[in-house]
Amino acid sequence: MVLSTNIAETSITIPNCKYVIDTGKEKRVLYNPDSNISEMKEVWISHASAEQRKGRAGRVRSGVVYRLFTRAKFAAMERFTPPEMLRSPLDALCLQTLRMNLGSPAHVLAACVTPPEPSSVARALDTLLEIQAVRRGRKGALELTPLGNHLADLPLDCRLGKMLIFGCLLRCVESVATIAAFLSQRSVFRAPLEKRDEMMARKRSFAYRWSDHLTLLRLYAAWSEAKRKREFCYENFINYESMLTVKSVGAWGAADA
């Protein structure tokens, strides 16, 4: 038996696979332009994904697919998975559009086959103006600032990129890279609902002057000094694997800067 993610829809072929059990669900990153937040949510798949999953069985002999949803639910599913442009922030795309002198990002993206919502483009441009990655020219057209040119080279969220650049200028790149690594993933604090109050008490024990960012930095320092890191994570309701990710990503960010 093979237990697989939706990556197997297109990336994995098991020749002797005879049966497929399709739950009809997948985890997808969705962007909310109103809150400017990307979230990982469990959603129903599309018709195209269901057909891809069915095709994993019967590659070299007859196969069977068992779908754990009704025909009515299948009929209500969207035909295709929305393209990434419609479910991710557009800050980096707008930066690249301006860098290549293609014209107004709003006009360029509106001409795409599946154009994003105008509100998403407007929110991305507002973010870039707010962090001073772009500015208004003499005729009101948007243009990149020197900061924006540097941000266009970094493969990460533009706000985190600005943090790293200013961390280099202020000579605190290791601390800033660690904070950026924390912010680039889900909260490292994990606890069942019945122990949520105890988890919050543990989290407050690392608090530093009401700053969430400095609290995370203080937590990382305590974790680094702990001799038994797994026990430290267990006692403080911290995900051990997430801390390892912070360590590797933070070290990469500091070295790259």
Side-chain angles (χ1 to χ4, degrees):
M1 184 179 73
V2 179
L3 180 64
S4 177
T5 66
N6 52 299
I7 295 175
E9 290 177 16
T10 56
S11 304
I12 300 175
T13 297
I14 303 174
N16 293 322
C17 182
K18 186 176 181 180
Y19 301 99
V20 168
I21 301 175
D22 184 6
T23 63
K25 294 289 190 76
E26 69 175 354
K27 287 188 175 180
R28 188 187 302 169
V29 177
L30 300 175
Y31 173 65
N32 186 338
D34 296 325
S35 61
N36 200 25
I37 294 177
S38 294
E39 300 175 289
M40 178 76 77
K41 289 188 175 182
E42 187 177 80
V43 297
W44 289 102
I45 61 174
S46 65
H47 284 191
S49 294
E51 291 301 306
Q52 284 285 352
R53 294 184 181 189
K54 182 181 71 173
R56 297 306 94 192
R59 307 293 287 184
V60 296
R61 57 176 176 171
S62 299
V64 180
V65 58
Y66 296 95
R67 288 173 170 165
L68 306 185
F69 47 89
T70 64
R71 289 187 176 88
K73 172 56 68 176
F74 179 74
M77 291 176 177
E78 54 196 357
R79 295 194 61 188
F80 301 99
T81 302
E84 189 174 355
M85 184 184 295
L86 302 183
R87 47 190 175 90
S88 61
L90 301 174
D91 311 356
L93 191 56
C94 290
L95 277 177
Q96 295 299 330
T97 301
L98 291 170
R99 193 180 201 185
M100 293 186 290
N101 296 318
L102 298 177
S104 168
H107 294 157
V108 172
L109 297 181
C112 293
V113 176
T114 52
E117 291 291 332
S119 59
S120 298
V121 181
R123 179 59 63 88
L125 294 176
D126 287 342
T127 298
L128 295 176
L129 285 167
E130 183 180 353
I131 66 174
Q132 299 178 341
V134 301
R135 63 191 172 199
R136 296 284 182 185
R138 293 183 179 180
K139 296 182 180 180
L142 292 173
E143 57 185 31
L144 286 182
T145 63
L147 172 62
N149 269 305
H150 287 297
L151 291 178
D153 290 327
L154 299 179
L156 72 166
D157 182 88
C158 59
R159 289 162 293 188
L160 297 181
K162 183 176 180 179
M163 280 180 57
L164 289 175
I165 291 173
F166 275 77
C168 295
L169 295 176
L170 299 174
R171 299 183 180 180
C172 56
V173 64
E174 291 185 7
S175 298
V176 171
T178 300
I179 295 172
F182 272 107
L183 299 178
S184 63
Q185 61 174 340
R186 293 175 56 195
S187 173
V188 297
F189 288 95
R190 311 282 172 81
L193 187 60
E194 63 274 12
K195 293 187 177 182
R196 193 59 57 90
D197 292 340
E198 188 176 350
M199 182 203 72
M200 293 304 297
R202 291 284 186 176
K203 184 177 180 180
R204 284 192 292 269
S205 68
F206 298 103
Y208 185 82
R209 297 183 181 179
W210 303 103
S211 170
D212 289 341
H213 294 168
L214 295 181
T215 295
L216 294 173
L217 195 60
R218 193 175 183 182
L219 165 64
Y220 183 77
W223 178 81
S224 299
E225 294 174 0
K227 293 182 179 180
R228 298 180 177 179
K229 291 181 169 50
R230 284 188 180 274
E231 292 184 9
F232 176 87
C233 291
Y234 178 77
E235 293 171 357
N236 293 281
F237 301 97
I238 296 169
N239 186 280
Y240 177 72
E241 286 72 21
S242 295
M243 293 301 296
L244 292 179
T245 300
V246 169
K247 180 181 179 180
S248 61
V249 173
W252 172 84
D256 190 63

